[in-house]
Amino acid sequence: MGVSHDSPAAEPPKTNGANGVKKSKLPTHPLGPLTGDEISRSSRLVVQSWPAGTEFRFKSIKLREPPKTELIPYLEAERAGKELPTIDRLSDVVYYLKNTDKLHEAIVDLTKDTVSSNKLMGPFLHANGDGDEIMAVERVMLADPGVQAEVAKLQLPEGSVLVADPWIYGSDGFTSEDGKFYDDKRIMQCYLYMRDPANSSEPDSCHYAFPLPISPVVDTVTMKVIRIDIVATGLDEKVKPLEPWQPVPPNEYIPEAHELRTDLKPLRVVQPEGASFAVDKFAEMGDRIRWQKWDLKVGFNQREGMVLYDVAYDGRPLFYRLSLSDMAIPYGDPRHPFHRKQAFDLGDAGAGIMANNLKLGCDCLGSIYYMSGVVTDADGQPVSMPNVVCVHEQDSGLLWKHTNYRTDRACVVRNRELVLQTILTVSNYEYILAFIFNTAGDMTYEVRATGILSTQPVDLSLTKVPHPFGTVVHPGVLAGYHQHFFSLRVDPMLDGRGNQVVYDDAVPLPRDPVLNPHGVGYTVTRTPITVSGGYDLDSSKGRQFKIINPSSRNPVNGAAVGYKIHVPPFQPILADAESYHHRRAEFADRSVYVTAHRDGELFAGGEYTNQSRGGTGVRSWASRGDELPEKGDPVVWVQFGINHIPRIEDFPVMPMEMIKVVFRPNNFFDKNPALDVPPSTQEANGSVGLNEAMEGCNLGGKNGELSGACAHR
Amino acid sequence: MGVSHDSPAAEPPKTNGANGVKKSKLPTHPLGPLTGDEISRSSRLVVQSWPAGTEFRFKSIKLREPPKTELIPYLEAERAGKELPTIDRLSDVVYYLKNTDKLHEAIVDLTKDTVSSNKLMGPFLHANGDGDEIMAVERVMLADPGVQAEVAKLQLPEGSVLVADPWIYGSDGFTSEDGKFYDDKRIMQCYLYMRDPANSSEPDSCHYAFPLPISPVVDTVTMKVIRIDIVATGLDEKVKPLEPWQPVPPNEYIPEAHELRTDLKPLRVVQPEGASFAVDKFAEMGDRIRWQKWDLKVGFNQREGMVLYDVAYDGRPLFYRLSLSDMAIPYGDPRHPFHRKQAFDLGDAGAGIMANNLKLGCDCLGSIYYMSGVVTDADGQPVSMPNVVCVHEQDSGLLWKHTNYRTDRACVVRNRELVLQTILTVSNYEYILAFIFNTAGDMTYEVRATGILSTQPVDLSLTKVPHPFGTVVHPGVLAGYHQHFFSLRVDPMLDGRGNQVVYDDAVPLPRDPVLNPHGVGYTVTRTPITVSGGYDLDSSKGRQFKIINPSSRNPVNGAAVGYKIHVPPFQPILADAESYHHRRAEFADRSVYVTAHRDGELFAGGEYTNQSRGGTGVRSWASRGDELPEKGDPVVWVQFGINHIPRIEDFPVMPMEMIKVVFRPNNFFDKNPALDVPPSTQEANGSVGLNEAMEGCNLGGKNGELSGACAHR
């Protein structure tokens, strides 16, 4: 299954050229994200290509990035300060004919003001959900008389307010004879909750503490409830008749529900001489950042959110393109309808359109620069997304130190980092995503998982009974086991094109009377990845994946210059290989995939993840067995994740769980690249000693009250 | 092999009681580290127990901690505010009779002013090196005519200054017939270097860029050179005759050797209302810290440096004792004499005595409290160690966040951490060690490895040739492959005594037409560790080690309260099981060891690691197969490490490599314990937006010079 690129478009577009369309100032850079004007123009050109009166539901409008063969010469010319080639500006437009399941992909040529291609997509392909739709599904479902009749059986307290989390339906390949069950049409599964009945006027009451056993399914074309599932609330798959709801206490995360600590003193990060980074626009909607020899372009789109392009250090190219390509979150409860719960938050929703408007002093501390983006609404009009990326510096402890014990002289350099952070809210859950750069040439991709567990009801009588599929986090509330998989797409350009991916293993030498008589020797073997495929870590071999440029040699030791990737180990997807979870999450089984670059292969779970059936995505591309020559064009997909066995401490909101992927220079420089970072001094950073103030600070009393003297320096 | 506790002391002590010894004020707390007065008193009592005129070389004098059976009731009474039991104050004194290999262990009773035990230790047991000794070995060796004759063959430039790193000799069990080779006496292997001959008056010139192929061996009793090894400098074990030295450039890390960056603006961490923690003395040399419901005692000793005792959260005990118990750093070069290179930095030297005097604004940023310690010199006199632990708070990004998409209300709490940091310099290398606590009940042990690689010479002609045993980091300089192993000793006390260690695995459910028809189900199995032994991670099962208290049940879900341990995966020791590296590094093979608590079993590599031969340490203790009942007294030893395949970027000083072990509450609380942390606000932290200042900041010029406007907000 896949996008039927070769099939003739069922409803051919009428390209209207420049007919009536206002031509806006073109951004000058081919990597500049679409402007608001370009978004409107893209949708207008598509609309004009159809008969008058046709109605549309736009799903996404994004820059169609130029082919690598066109863009590389452009970037090279840009770096060399030479004349820039001309590259046509294109957009990808994904839309439905309104109130139908007719999904279309159009390519709009913004340079020529034409729709250059338009295709009706094949079966089993469904576009992402959007906010309007999710709100509408919730409304429709709650107003449905059938749903209301089921809810009535719960005999909820007077004034109860219902809330629903509509979920992407997922796939199981199952169609029932009576037609009640199917997964080929675009439908949504609603998980039903209510607000705290004692506080139902509070719109931010945590409804996840009040899950209800009713789960209606809504058709997104007809916007009607097609089925009402009742979920199992015991230890097995048996579904019981609905019974009157039994009271449980609330469990709120909003601060006014708590007596807040008063002993956490303010901590400020101050840069009296300003920040060390500089920002300028490389395009109307694109920022170029320069900091401590790093130089990179930041883009933003509806699907991936923050994307980095053309990342260089000290004038040497490192990465052509970097982004989180997708995530998959399969749940482990095998019971209907939970067995279909698997979110692809980028493909099903979109990291750009779900990005938070970040707030000074809350999401970001210190001296902050904010970037904004623009995405598309259902009418094809631009939606401005302010402050979706924050940029700031942070101190991160010591970077290097040595004390010569003979002279007692210490040399110390602190680790300064530049952080580009974006935060997604995907219904119940949040992801805090950041690219972090340091002064030693390291780049880190950091994920913090937080937000609220997607909960489900469990019999109150089972509150203290271990559950096979989750953790009871509140009376009557089960948080199901689930896995989080992330796929970071890395398109490298270390010292230019012609890169290779290798892995190095540390292996013991055999005992040998001459060379290894004491059995302590070991060496390192290098294995170049010469064919596309999936590859695994092996901690017994200390396996390290590296990107190298075989044509660029270290001036001192002659090694191919490289970057190593600290790939965090993870538990591969537990759903079996025949399951739809496994088939769809094309990246959740291997730590590293390496593919031969092809334009347009950007998303590890395929272009359309909503109710996808597998067969498209990085596993499929890797399985082509493409040759990866020594000086080839590999793309590295780094997978990592968390098996989230919920703790009760993760409720009602979860303290973040952090994972990092670190890229470190490996024989790329000729020595420690941070030798020229000035030592940190007390004069410059104004650190303060507390010892004098703490003296006489007596903490009497067995309950440990802090005396006033201790609170101030 | 082991400490012969049962053999009669060959030279029985003469205990002099209170004879002539000034009785100082006793510290009131049994966990208070020895005071300077107690150290002098301990050595004096030992001296007085011998005939007048006997000379001594003291190696260490430390608090002998009370047996757990005595201390637990004390801590419980202390917590309850009840009358405190009396516990005798003892010290452990390790010493040599001067200029002999007669190693002694004495126990001094400071309460009764007596030497209560004194033993001559058996063969193969050698005490740690000390700074004076290492300096003396270097002097003696450089003055040796035989060494000078060998050095003359190198024809070094006029005015060259030689430097040596004396190394703990290690073990290989080899004794040659001619008596030139042995490892049973206490000897040291010197690795020879020189300063940059063009700058030889600079005492901080990095001599590791100038390794020489001569490696003399010194007897620490006679302080004479007993052998001069010439090392192999090719690709195999063959040793060539010494040849004239060939010039290579220097490679300096001192800042004045570099043109420093000028574009890194100051970053200050300011706490206008003071720090949030309070410190008081629980003993003359011991600090108690209270911060955000955490309450802990900090000790310090010569061997382990920083030790935490009696760690509690919100009045609930968590840990009885925590410390880094040892580290092992075996090298992988199988050639003589490198095959014996294996450092045990705590056992061979001491994390306390090697601790840096930390500097405000360099090692520690913000508002800092410093703790000091006291250790022992060779004369048994106290040596004050100022500022060996720094305590401060830091912001660490977001702790939790949720945005309700229906109301667009975001709740955000930042992660505040309390850091207790200490830094060791062990000859060429440094370790930055920290316990970190946060507001969500997490405790992290963080290691940053930095400092300078221990280098060795390699033929200049091989500079660009891949080497089987290391990385060429500079012309003529090889940095050998080596592994770093750390063993964190965790003596838990979760909600009091009677703890258990378990591991949880996530395992797929078999396909089943009723319960798992779609193949997506998985569950968690729990395995209690009921017998002492070594245990491994298994990322294919998402294995999580946990400490639980089976008697203390979560009030909501009834689970045994616990803490999980994020054990970072590592490559076990590569030296084979018969090798001395493997035998000696009794902890370097398994991720987790669990033993049944016995007083005095504190050091994973055994009490005496210097030239040790194995047979004592955690592997041996675990192999007793002690039963670990459900409500037992387990001690958990968490191993982690780095296989250090040097990068050229690690020279001449290494950007730190970080590893963390995280302890997270796991059904220990009844909900997220950080719900009561106040939201961070711009008002309180004074964050600053940069967008306005950055506007008009045009970075013209292809070399990317920053314009003045960008540098300031």
Side-chain angles (χ1 to χ4, degrees):
Chain A
M1 222 90 23
V3 179
S4 48
H5 278 294
D6 299 328
S7 62
E11 288 153 87
K14 306 183 184 172
T15 52
N16 282 17
N19 178 6
V21 175
K22 196 189 101 200
K23 186 142 183 168
S24 76
K25 191 190 73 163
L26 277 182
T28 54
H29 201 285
L31 287 173
L34 291 189
T35 64
D37 175 69
E38 287 176 319
I39 287 174
S40 324
R41 208 144 52 86
S42 298
S43 60
R44 206 178 309 142
L45 285 164
V46 168
V47 168
Q48 289 171 350
S49 74
W50 285 84
T54 312
E55 290 189 303
F56 302 87
R57 182 172 195 98
F58 287 93
K59 281 296 184 178
S60 85
I61 303 182
K62 289 183 317 192
L63 175 70
R64 184 176 181 87
E65 296 178 16
K68 205 169 187 177
T69 48
E70 284 186 38
L71 193 53
I72 287 271
Y74 185 99
L75 296 176
E76 286 172 353
E78 189 179 35
R79 199 169 293 118
K82 292 192 182 147
E83 201 187 337
L84 300 170
T86 303
I87 297 182
D88 280 357
R89 186 97 175 139
L90 305 177
S91 65
D92 279 319
V93 182
V94 176
Y95 63 99
Y96 281 103
L97 298 184
K98 199 165 187 174
N99 303 326
T100 76
D101 60 355
K102 293 181 194 306
L103 176 65
H104 290 75
E105 259 186 1
I107 300 170
V108 172
D109 188 326
L110 292 160
T111 307
K112 301 194 181 72
D113 266 339
T114 58
V115 176
S116 58
S117 126
N118 188 43
K119 289 197 199 90
L120 173 66
M121 307 309 289
F124 305 120
L125 295 177
H126 307 285
N128 53 292
D130 65 69
D132 285 353
E133 187 178 62
I134 284 165
M135 305 282 216
V137 164
E138 183 175 11
R139 272 195 311 276
V140 159
M141 184 276 294
L142 291 176
D144 180 83
V147 172
Q148 289 173 354
E150 293 297 326
V151 170
K153 296 178 189 169
L154 300 176
Q155 300 174 28
L156 299 178
E158 187 85 14
S160 293
V161 174
L162 295 180
V163 186
D165 278 13
W167 270 64
I168 291 293
Y169 190 76
S171 305
D172 57 12
F174 178 66
T175 305
S176 66
E177 286 181 13
D178 62 5
K180 286 178 75 176
F181 292 85
Y182 52 84
D183 71 347
D184 50 344
K185 289 187 195 148
R186 191 160 176 281
I187 52 187
M188 281 199 175
Q189 183 94 36
C190 295
Y191 291 105
L192 204 60
Y193 304 88
M194 68 174 167
R195 291 188 197 154
D196 174 14
N199 190 23
S200 57
S201 63
E202 171 53 65
D204 287 295
S205 166
C206 177
H207 59 266
Y208 300 99
F210 300 96
L212 302 175
I214 299 166
S215 181
V217 178
V218 174
D219 184 310
T220 63
V221 172
T222 64
M223 282 307 234
K224 290 204 183 330
V225 171
I226 60 167
R227 194 177 79 231
I228 301 171
D229 293 334
I230 307 299
V231 309
T233 57
L235 297 173
D236 60 20
E237 79 297 344
K238 292 190 197 72
V239 174
K240 287 172 290 200
L242 292 175
E243 286 174 1
W245 180 79
Q246 291 176 268
V248 291
N251 202 339
E252 305 292 5
Y253 64 89
I254 49 177
E256 61 266 37
H258 300 275
E259 195 178 323
L260 298 179
R261 305 182 190 196
T262 55
D263 56 353
L264 197 64
K265 309 288 176 193
L267 185 150
R268 299 182 167 195
V269 173
V270 178
Q271 296 195 266
E273 298 177 22
S276 316
F277 61 91
V279 184
D280 63 343
K281 294 277 176 199
F282 73 92
E284 189 179 324
M285 292 307 301
D287 288 295
R288 177 184 179 185
I289 299 186
R290 289 186 244 184
W291 178 80
Q292 297 298 304
K293 307 184 190 179
W294 290 96
D295 184 350
L296 51 103
K297 298 182 176 76
V298 186
F300 186 86
N301 67 53
Q302 189 165 334
R303 169 100 177 222
E304 298 160 284
M306 173 169 57
V307 182
L308 304 190
Y309 300 104
D310 195 21
V311 179
Y313 187 91
D314 209 8
R316 297 167 68 185
L318 286 178
F319 300 103
Y320 177 80
R321 192 184 196 279
L322 290 164
S323 73
L324 184 68
S325 93
D326 213 332
M327 47 174 105
I329 303 99
Y331 281 69
D333 190 330
R335 302 172 298 175
H336 183 271
F338 307 117
H339 74 284
R340 271 186 278 94
K341 260 182 117 169
Q342 170 162 247
F344 291 83
D345 288 334
L346 274 63
D348 291 353
I353 203 157
M354 300 293 166
N356 289 192
N357 181 344
L358 302 174
K359 296 287 180 285
L360 192 63
C362 307
D363 300 297
C364 320
L365 180 68
S367 300
I368 317 292
Y369 178 83
Y370 290 95
M371 296 178 187
S372 296
V374 58
V375 296
T376 312
D377 70 10
D379 297 325
Q381 293 311 306
V383 177
S384 151
M385 301 281 293
N387 308 329
V388 284
V389 175
C390 65
V391 184
H392 70 278
E393 288 172 86
Q394 66 188 16
D395 177 90
S396 165
L398 296 193
L399 177 60
W400 62 259
K401 177 170 190 178
H402 182 61
T403 303
N404 183 347
Y405 71 82
R406 297 162 186 85
T407 63
D408 214 31
R409 176 175 175 187
C411 293
V412 189
V413 163
R414 298 190 66 82
N415 193 22
R416 185 74 65 86
E417 296 179 327
L418 182 78
V419 183
L420 279 70
Q421 176 183 272
T422 188
I423 305 182
L424 323 185
T425 296
V426 197
S427 196
N428 55 301
Y429 214 65
E430 351 287 293
Y431 296 96
I432 302 167
L433 309 172
F435 284 100
I436 302 174
F437 301 86
N438 82 354
T439 49
D442 293 352
M443 182 186 74
T444 298
Y445 188 71
E446 179 189 281
V447 174
R448 298 180 185 216
T450 178
I452 306 186
L453 291 155
S454 174
T455 57
Q456 62 194 70
V458 64
D459 295 344
L460 216 45
S461 62
L462 297 175
T463 297
K464 299 213 177 188
V465 177
H467 198 283
F469 310 127
T471 305
V472 173
V473 293
H474 189 68
V477 182
L478 188 71
Y481 303 146
H482 57 282
Q483 295 182 279
H484 294 257
F485 298 102
F486 304 88
S487 178
L488 182 70
R489 185 179 180 279
V490 181
D491 190 340
M493 187 171 60
L494 262 63
D495 269 349
R497 302 194 76 178
N499 284 194
Q500 188 178 34
V501 185
V502 302
Y503 59 83
D504 288 351
D505 289 345
V507 294
L509 291 181
R511 280 248 178 187
D512 178 273
V514 175
L515 193 56
N516 189 25
H518 302 280
V520 302
Y522 71 92
T523 192
V524 173
T525 61
R526 169 157 293 189
T527 308
I529 293 180
T530 57
V531 63
S532 67
Y535 296 88
D536 294 317
L537 288 172
D538 184 342
S539 74
S540 76
K541 294 182 172 148
R543 181 165 295 167
Q544 289 274 1
F545 288 89
K546 292 173 184 167
I547 302 164
I548 63 170
N549 185 332
S551 318
S552 179
R553 294 283 162 171
N554 189 286
V556 174
N557 66 17
V561 302
Y563 259 69
K564 64 175 167 171
I565 312 174
H566 289 198
V567 181
F570 74 138
Q571 183 173 26
I573 186 165
L574 282 159
D576 71 30
E578 298 306 308
S579 68
Y580 276 85
H581 277 1
H582 193 285
R583 288 193 224 176
R584 300 175 67 207
E586 284 231 338
F587 49 96
D589 53 345
R590 310 298 294 266
S591 280
V592 171
Y593 274 106
V594 185
T595 58
H597 177 272
R598 288 198 190 178
D599 291 320
E601 290 184 348
L602 292 175
F603 310 129
E607 191 75 29
Y608 296 99
T609 57
N610 188 357
Q611 291 173 244
S612 62
R613 300 199 154 199
T616 174
V618 70
R619 190 194 295 140
S620 301
W621 304 329
S623 72
R624 288 191 300 251
D626 289 339
E627 271 182 46
L628 295 165
E630 190 184 65
K631 298 172 188 178
D633 192 7
V635 175
V636 189
W637 310 71
V638 179
Q639 280 69 242
F640 53 101
I642 302 165
N643 189 343
H644 193 173
I645 307 302
R647 318 173 291 158
I648 199 167
E649 288 84 356
D650 294 336
F651 198 68
V653 66
M654 172 188 168
M656 60 85 189
E657 189 96 17
M658 196 195 298
I659 326 179
K660 293 185 184 210
V661 182
V662 184
F663 297 79
R664 303 199 91 188
N666 195 85
N667 300 315
F668 189 79
F669 300 105
D670 64 351
K671 58 180 70 171
N672 177 349
L675 289 177
D676 62 347
V677 179
S680 182
T681 64
Q682 201 267 336
E683 291 68 41
N685 60 47
S687 290
V688 174
L690 295 174
N691 284 49
E692 212 168 300
M694 290 282 187
E695 248 168 64
C697 154
N698 198 322
L699 298 166
K702 68 174 176 172
N703 295 322
E705 301 83 4
L706 306 193
S707 76
C710 308
H712 299 276
R713 59 173 169 83
Chain B
M1 220 89 24
V3 178
S4 48
H5 278 293
D6 299 327
S7 64
E11 289 155 88
K14 305 184 181 171
T15 54
N16 281 18
N19 177 8
V21 176
K22 195 188 103 200
K23 186 145 185 164
S24 76
K25 190 189 71 161
L26 278 181
T28 54
H29 201 285
L31 288 173
L34 291 189
T35 63
D37 175 71
E38 288 175 320
I39 286 174
S40 324
R41 208 143 53 84
S42 297
S43 59
R44 206 178 311 143
L45 286 164
V46 167
V47 168
Q48 290 170 350
S49 74
W50 285 84
T54 311
E55 289 189 304
F56 302 87
R57 182 173 196 97
F58 287 92
K59 281 296 185 178
S60 85
I61 303 182
K62 289 183 316 192
L63 175 70
R64 184 176 179 87
E65 294 177 16
K68 205 170 187 177
T69 48
E70 285 186 39
L71 193 54
I72 286 271
Y74 186 99
L75 296 176
E76 284 171 355
E78 187 179 37
R79 199 169 295 115
K82 292 192 183 149
E83 202 187 338
L84 299 171
T86 303
I87 297 183
D88 279 357
R89 186 96 174 140
L90 306 177
S91 65
D92 279 319
V93 182
V94 176
Y95 64 99
Y96 281 103
L97 298 185
K98 201 165 186 175
N99 304 326
T100 76
D101 59 355
K102 294 181 192 305
L103 176 65
H104 289 76
E105 259 186 1
I107 301 171
V108 172
D109 188 325
L110 292 161
T111 307
K112 302 194 180 70
D113 266 339
T114 58
V115 175
S116 58
S117 131
N118 188 41
K119 291 198 198 86
L120 173 65
M121 307 309 290
F124 305 119
L125 294 177
H126 307 285
N128 52 291
D130 63 69
D132 285 354
E133 186 176 63
I134 283 164
M135 305 281 217
V137 164
E138 183 176 10
R139 272 196 310 276
V140 158
M141 183 276 295
L142 291 177
D144 181 82
V147 172
Q148 288 173 354
E150 293 298 324
V151 169
K153 297 178 188 167
L154 301 177
Q155 301 176 27
L156 298 178
E158 186 86 12
S160 293
V161 174
L162 295 180
V163 185
D165 278 13
W167 268 66
I168 292 293
Y169 190 76
S171 305
D172 57 12
F174 178 68
T175 304
S176 66
E177 287 180 12
D178 63 5
K180 286 177 75 178
F181 292 86
Y182 52 84
D183 71 347
D184 50 344
K185 290 191 194 146
R186 192 162 175 280
I187 51 186
M188 280 199 177
Q189 182 94 36
C190 296
Y191 292 105
L192 204 60
Y193 303 89
M194 67 173 169
R195 291 188 197 154
D196 174 13
N199 189 23
S200 57
S201 63
E202 171 54 64
D204 287 296
S205 166
C206 177
H207 59 266
Y208 300 98
F210 300 97
L212 302 175
I214 300 166
S215 181
V217 178
V218 174
D219 184 310
T220 64
V221 172
T222 63
M223 283 305 239
K224 290 204 183 329
V225 172
I226 60 167
R227 195 177 77 232
I228 301 171
D229 293 334
I230 308 299
V231 309
T233 56
L235 297 174
D236 60 20
E237 80 295 343
K238 292 188 196 75
V239 175
K240 286 172 293 199
L242 293 175
E243 286 173 1
W245 180 79
Q246 292 175 268
V248 291
N251 201 340
E252 305 292 5
Y253 63 89
I254 49 177
E256 61 267 35
H258 299 276
E259 195 179 321
L260 299 179
R261 303 182 191 195
T262 55
D263 55 353
L264 197 65
K265 308 286 174 193
L267 185 151
R268 299 182 167 195
V269 173
V270 178
Q271 296 195 265
E273 298 177 21
S276 316
F277 61 92
V279 184
D280 63 344
K281 294 276 176 201
F282 74 91
E284 189 179 324
M285 291 307 300
D287 288 295
R288 176 183 180 188
I289 298 185
R290 289 186 244 182
W291 177 80
Q292 297 297 304
K293 306 184 190 179
W294 289 96
D295 184 351
L296 51 103
K297 299 182 175 75
V298 186
F300 186 86
N301 67 53
Q302 189 165 334
R303 169 100 176 222
E304 297 160 285
M306 173 169 56
V307 181
L308 304 191
Y309 300 104
D310 195 21
V311 179
Y313 187 92
D314 210 10
R316 297 168 68 184
L318 286 178
F319 300 103
Y320 177 79
R321 191 184 198 279
L322 290 164
S323 73
L324 184 68
S325 93
D326 214 333
M327 47 174 108
I329 302 98
Y331 281 67
D333 191 330
R335 301 173 299 175
H336 182 273
F338 307 117
H339 73 284
R340 271 186 277 94
K341 258 182 117 169
Q342 169 161 252
F344 290 83
D345 287 335
L346 275 63
D348 291 352
I353 203 157
M354 301 291 168
N356 290 192
N357 181 344
L358 302 174
K359 295 286 180 287
L360 193 62
C362 308
D363 300 297
C364 320
L365 180 70
S367 299
I368 316 291
Y369 178 84
Y370 290 95
M371 297 179 185
S372 296
V374 58
V375 296
T376 312
D377 69 10
D379 297 325
Q381 293 310 305
V383 178
S384 150
M385 301 281 294
N387 308 330
V388 284
V389 174
C390 65
V391 184
H392 71 278
E393 289 172 87
Q394 66 187 17
D395 178 90
S396 165
L398 296 193
L399 177 59
W400 62 259
K401 178 170 189 179
H402 182 60
T403 303
N404 183 346
Y405 70 82
R406 296 162 188 85
T407 64
D408 213 31
R409 177 175 173 188
C411 293
V412 189
V413 162
R414 298 189 65 83
N415 192 23
R416 184 74 66 87
E417 296 179 328
L418 183 77
V419 182
L420 279 70
Q421 177 183 269
T422 188
I423 305 181
L424 324 184
T425 296
V426 197
S427 196
N428 56 300
Y429 214 65
E430 346 296 287
Y431 296 96
I432 302 167
L433 308 172
F435 284 101
I436 302 174
F437 301 86
N438 81 355
T439 48
D442 294 352
M443 182 186 73
T444 298
Y445 188 71
E446 179 188 282
V447 173
R448 297 180 186 216
T450 178
I452 305 188
L453 291 156
S454 174
T455 57
Q456 65 195 68
V458 64
D459 295 343
L460 215 45
S461 62
L462 296 175
T463 296
K464 298 211 176 191
V465 177
H467 197 283
F469 310 127
T471 304
V472 174
V473 292
H474 188 68
V477 182
L478 188 72
Y481 303 146
H482 57 282
Q483 295 182 277
H484 293 258
F485 298 102
F486 305 88
S487 177
L488 182 71
R489 183 179 181 279
V490 182
D491 190 340
M493 186 170 60
L494 263 62
D495 269 349
R497 300 194 77 177
N499 284 194
Q500 190 178 33
V501 185
V502 302
Y503 59 82
D504 289 350
D505 289 344
V507 294
L509 292 182
R511 278 248 178 186
D512 178 273
V514 175
L515 194 55
N516 188 25
H518 302 279
V520 303
Y522 72 92
T523 192
V524 173
T525 62
R526 170 158 292 189
T527 308
I529 292 179
T530 58
V531 63
S532 67
Y535 297 87
D536 294 317
L537 288 173
D538 185 342
S539 73
S540 76
K541 293 182 173 149
R543 182 165 295 168
Q544 288 276 1
F545 287 89
K546 291 173 184 166
I547 302 164
I548 64 169
N549 185 331
S551 317
S552 179
R553 294 281 162 174
N554 188 285
V556 173
N557 66 18
V561 302
Y563 260 68
K564 63 176 168 171
I565 312 174
H566 288 198
V567 181
F570 75 137
Q571 183 174 26
I573 187 165
L574 280 159
D576 70 33
E578 297 308 307
S579 69
Y580 276 85
H581 276 1
H582 193 285
R583 288 193 223 176
R584 302 174 66 207
E586 283 230 339
F587 49 95
D589 54 345
R590 310 298 293 265
S591 280
V592 171
Y593 273 105
V594 186
T595 58
H597 177 272
R598 287 198 190 179
D599 291 320
E601 290 184 348
L602 292 175
F603 310 128
E607 191 74 29
Y608 297 99
T609 57
N610 189 357
Q611 290 174 242
S612 62
R613 300 199 154 199
T616 174
V618 70
R619 189 194 296 139
S620 300
W621 305 328
S623 72
R624 289 191 300 251
D626 289 340
E627 270 181 48
L628 295 165
E630 190 184 64
K631 298 170 187 180
D633 192 7
V635 175
V636 189
W637 310 71
V638 180
Q639 280 69 243
F640 53 101
I642 302 166
N643 190 342
H644 193 171
I645 307 302
R647 317 174 290 158
I648 199 166
E649 288 85 356
D650 294 336
F651 199 70
V653 65
M654 173 186 167
M656 60 84 190
E657 189 95 19
M658 196 195 299
I659 326 179
K660 294 184 183 207
V661 182
V662 185
F663 298 78
R664 303 199 92 188
N666 196 84
N667 299 315
F668 189 80
F669 300 105
D670 64 351
K671 58 181 67 170
N672 178 348
L675 288 177
D676 62 347
V677 178
S680 182
T681 64
Q682 201 266 334
E683 291 68 41
N685 60 45
S687 290
V688 173
L690 295 174
N691 285 49
E692 211 169 301
M694 291 281 187
E695 248 166 66
C697 155
N698 198 320
L699 297 166
K702 66 174 180 178
N703 295 322
E705 302 82 5
L706 305 194
S707 75
C710 309
H712 298 275
R713 59 175 169 82

